[in-house]
Amino acid sequence: MKLPVIRHLQKNNDQVKLEHTLEVLESFCDHRSVSDEEMDVVGELISNICGALEVQKMIDKGMAERDAANTFMQKVMGSIDR
């Protein structure tokens, strides 16, 4: 996950567009001819899109944009430490 990418996605796309993109990427991954390398790239894309959606949800609940991004990354880092 890359916070600058997450912020860019969150600022420049609406929720519906991001959700549709997720559906397409997940469908792509279901095909049997997708290589491990392609799966890694798509996984990174999916995680960034999910991060953008999560940050947007926090902003929609009233959290400042910067605080939402920092809170999200703290959650990610906390889950990695476990």
Side-chain angles (χ1 to χ4, degrees), residues 17-58:
K17 187 185 291 187
L18 291 173
E19 288 172 350
H20 286 162
T21 303
L22 278 175
E23 290 173 13
V24 171
L25 291 172
E26 289 169 349
S27 177
F28 174 82
C29 289
D30 288 340
H31 196 273
R32 60 183 162 83
S33 69
V34 175
S35 70
D36 288 343
E37 184 177 287
E38 291 169 325
M39 193 72 78
D40 289 343
V41 171
V42 173
E44 182 68 20
L45 293 169
I46 288 172
S47 67
N48 285 317
I49 293 169
C50 288
L53 288 168
E54 187 70 26
V55 169
Q56 188 59 49
K57 285 179 188 176
M58 287 186 253

